[in-house]
Amino acid sequence: MITRKVSVKHAAANALIFLSAGVLMLGLGHYRTLIPREAGTLNYLLASGEKTSFTVDVQDQGLPKRLVQPGRISIAAPMMSLSEKGGSHRVRVTARGFENGSVNFSSRNPSFDSALGVFSSEFHPGEVINLTAGLRFSHLTAWTQPSISEGVIAFTDYSTGETLGEISVHVVNSGQSGSGAAASGSAGSSIEFGQDHSNH
Amino acid sequence: MNGKAKILTVRFLGYLGGFLLFYAPASLVQRLLISVFHLPGNADIHAVCSRVALTNLASGKGISVISIVGIVFALVFLSAFFLGPLFCGKLCPAGAFPEYLSRLIPEKFQVKLQSALNPAPVRYGMLAGFLIAPVMGYSVVCAYCNYTMFSRLTLSVLSLDVGILTSTNVITIFFWLIVLGAFTKGGRGYCSYICPVGAAQSLLHFLGAKFRFTYKLAFDPHRCVSCGLCAKECPTLALAVKDDGQLSYQRISCLSCGQCIQLCPKKALVYKNGADGWRRAAGDEKLLQPQPILNESASS
Ligand code: SF4
Ligand code: SF4
Ligand code: SF4
């Protein structure tokens, strides 16, 4: 009788632990959905010379990220493509501005030369151009400055120099007073924040 | 080199092999499947990730068997059913890394977590949550992933840059390497409690072990002298010496790493097929009765 009581108690405790662990995993999933803006995602269409702007707020980062890497921001454009209206291009990406920081580009596309910022393969209209921009500033700048940095990410045709598109990026810290960062988030109609793809 | 160091070195070579097979920059499996069978995919760990396959199966999306992820998933899970979770025990460097790291930390600073908290309800609760999450609109498949973090850490050795982390990356490193790794006895806390791939493989092994034709760990109590060496070195604490000196085994927590088999000075532990119940004597197909010194754990 006593043994039975103990085993019922044991089973109940295990069931409770099982449920708690399941809820914990769902909670972790939910937490992830609360911080999609810590890595911005662009859904950008490269059309002749189109300009747009994009504001990133380091306060949108989750606490663990803000503690460990507040000044490192990833902006991913996993599904960027050339406008159907234009022609085919060999795309080159460059950054200018970002005075107190640095930018580097990477891509899952094997034809991308990250040192030159050039895709060696030619893209046709509608074809996906996967690109991630990594912005890097000092921790101190990211923690203390209301306006951390500004710059432009420009896309050109590597052969002709024709401008395909430009994204003005403004990195702010809305936690600092007078940041003028109330308008943090997406500003351009062709840009939106989405899920974090930086794991890949 | 003493016996233990030799066993750890041989195991390390297996994990190094796993690294070369599945992880960039080598990714030999992916490259082979891409170049010989012209299957689409990238030469990185994501292309073979069984987490993705499990999520796709759970969400009804399914997976194609004629794909890189489908082939690897089938091999990993079929081998788990027939032979035990060999991917975990012999090949997975992401699981082994914190185990080897934990060997650098003095035991007095480590917690015997698996003894204090039974891994089974936690890991299967986590697995259930992992499989239900996409249905509820949460994406946990790449978040909290130690494969991703291991890949990034190894690639960062070449570039001296770990890249840009997300909050979920930071949480993963903290638990996988530090709390459940370096400061957990055996260093396999992440494997024991969180990893969905390990949990699914162990479940298949647990079920597979019911059939005579499958391979599993077996124990000969006549040979055992209760030295406790196997339990002391078991990375998941699946083997434990109870207060009364009896040895218990939790098949559901076992990685099939084979370390206990190699370490046992009396050859009391063997890996073989036959009837379930790990108390079979080597070469003896019938189940033996519990001996005065050793008792079978209820969960084996
Ligand atoms: S449980 Fe997961 S992390 Fe651990 S060894 Fe197995 S697959 Fe690797
Ligand atoms: S019981 Fe043996 S094979 Fe299983 S995890 Fe422990 S040491 Fe490895
Ligand atoms: S099984 Fe082997 S190593 Fe384990 S306690 Fe018995 S004799 Fe020692």
Side-chain angles (χ1 to χ4, degrees):
Chain A
M1 188 67 189
I2 291 174
T3 322
R4 212 177 141 169
K5 232 183 191 173
V6 170
S7 70
V8 169
K9 256 192 183 167
H10 194 236
N14 279 344
L16 197 67
I17 294 171
F18 175 86
L19 283 176
S20 310
V23 169
L24 177 63
M25 183 51 96
L26 292 176
L28 289 169
H30 180 64
Y31 172 71
R32 190 181 188 232
T33 64
L34 295 178
I35 47 167
R37 287 177 173 226
E38 67 178 8
T41 302
L42 303 179
N43 183 13
Y44 186 55
L45 192 64
L46 287 179
S48 329
E50 184 171 323
K51 291 186 182 169
T52 191
S53 60
F54 186 63
T55 304
V56 184
D57 187 351
V58 293
Q59 288 293 326
D60 287 334
Q61 300 173 337
L63 183 64
K65 165 85 167 66
R66 230 182 310 153
L67 289 175
V68 176
Q69 283 188 336
R72 297 188 69 173
I73 291 146
S74 142
I75 302 174
M79 300 296 283
M80 183 166 63
S81 61
L82 289 173
S83 164
E84 294 283 359
K85 288 176 206 145
S88 300
H89 298 277
R90 269 188 73 194
V91 177
R92 179 178 193 199
V93 56
T94 50
R96 58 176 193 269
F98 301 107
E99 299 302 339
N100 48 3
S102 64
V103 183
N104 74 298
F105 297 104
S106 59
S107 174
R108 299 191 79 188
N109 186 317
S111 85
F112 184 66
D113 180 333
S114 55
L116 295 175
V118 177
F119 289 91
S120 60
S121 58
E122 191 174 63
F123 290 104
H124 307 293
E127 210 177 315
V128 167
I129 309 169
N130 172 287
L131 186 78
T132 299
L135 280 52
R136 188 189 296 219
F137 314 97
S138 79
H139 278 31
L140 198 63
T141 310
W143 274 325
T144 58
Q145 302 293 312
S147 175
I148 297 166
S149 191
E150 269 181 286
V152 173
I153 296 173
F155 300 91
T156 52
D157 183 292
Y158 184 58
S159 315
T160 64
E162 177 194 347
T163 301
L164 302 172
E166 279 191 0
I167 305 167
S168 298
V169 179
H170 189 190
V171 186
V172 300
N173 182 350
S174 64
Q176 295 298 314
S177 56
S179 67
S184 74
S186 58
S189 59
S190 58
I191 288 176
E192 62 191 33
F193 278 111
Q195 286 291 304
D196 146 24
H197 292 265
S198 64
N199 278 324
H200 299 281
Chain B
M1 202 187 282
N2 66 27
K4 185 177 146 190
K6 217 182 202 167
I7 293 163
L8 285 173
T9 308
V10 171
R11 285 186 57 213
F12 176 82
L13 291 176
Y15 300 124
L16 185 64
F19 174 65
L20 295 173
L21 286 175
F22 300 112
Y23 283 79
S27 304
L28 297 176
V29 167
Q30 294 91 315
R31 286 184 202 282
L32 179 87
L33 293 173
I34 291 168
S35 60
V36 177
F37 299 101
H38 305 292
L39 295 176
N42 294 321
D44 60 26
I45 184 65
H46 308 294
V48 288
C49 181
S50 292
R51 286 165 202 260
V52 175
L54 280 173
T55 306
N56 287 353
L57 283 178
S59 64
K61 254 196 217 166
I63 43 169
S64 163
V65 185
I66 318 293
S67 65
I68 296 179
V69 72
I71 290 169
V72 173
F73 181 80
L75 287 175
V76 167
F77 283 85
L78 282 175
S79 64
F81 183 84
F82 289 105
L83 306 169
L86 294 185
F87 175 77
C88 294
K90 311 280 187 199
L91 288 175
C92 179
F97 183 44
E99 181 194 327
Y100 281 74
L101 192 67
S102 78
R103 293 183 186 275
L104 305 175
I105 305 289
E107 255 186 54
K108 62 179 173 189
F109 297 123
Q110 295 180 322
V111 181
K112 284 188 169 180
L113 209 51
Q114 291 94 333
S115 307
L117 178 60
N118 181 8
V122 180
R123 81 191 299 211
Y124 291 102
M126 287 275 186
L127 177 64
F130 177 86
L131 297 175
I132 294 167
V135 182
M136 298 184 69
Y138 302 141
S139 172
V140 280
V141 62
C142 292
Y144 315 108
C145 171
N146 61 335
Y147 298 167
T148 298
M149 291 325 303
F150 183 75
S151 171
R152 288 182 62 167
L153 289 180
T154 48
L155 289 174
S156 73
V157 172
L158 300 174
S159 61
L160 296 177
D161 183 4
V162 73
I164 298 173
L165 301 172
T166 61
S167 287
T168 61
N169 292 157
V170 177
I171 292 169
T172 305
I173 292 179
F174 182 66
F175 283 100
W176 164 59
L177 282 187
I178 300 171
V179 179
L180 300 174
F183 292 97
T184 291
K185 170 91 173 73
R188 291 275 188 166
Y190 187 95
C191 298
S192 294
Y193 294 107
I194 297 178
C195 180
V197 179
Q201 283 182 78
S202 293
L203 188 61
L204 280 177
H205 176 46
F206 186 78
L207 298 174
K210 310 276 176 220
F211 298 93
R212 297 183 64 91
F213 54 82
T214 58
Y215 279 73
K216 56 217 123 200
L217 189 65
F219 172 60
D220 181 350
H222 298 315
R223 287 176 182 245
C224 176
V225 291
S226 296
C227 67
L229 208 57
C230 54
K232 187 169 177 282
E233 292 300 328
C234 174
T236 59
L237 277 61
L239 283 171
V241 180
K242 300 266 179 206
D243 292 342
D244 54 7
Q246 297 176 342
L247 194 67
S248 72
Y249 172 61
Q250 302 240 11
R251 191 178 309 284
I252 201 98
S253 297
C254 174
L255 293 171
S256 295
C257 67
Q259 180 153 290
C260 52
I261 299 171
Q262 304 295 326
L263 272 174
C264 177
K266 298 293 175 188
K267 304 278 173 256
L269 293 160
V270 284
Y271 175 70
K272 59 186 294 214
N273 63 359
D276 189 17
W278 83 304
R279 198 163 289 287
R280 274 177 301 132
D284 181 3
E285 288 309 309
K286 71 179 189 302
L287 299 180
L288 299 177
Q289 292 307 308
Q291 299 299 300
I293 300 171
L294 294 162
N295 238 336
E296 185 166 10
S297 146
S299 56
S300 70

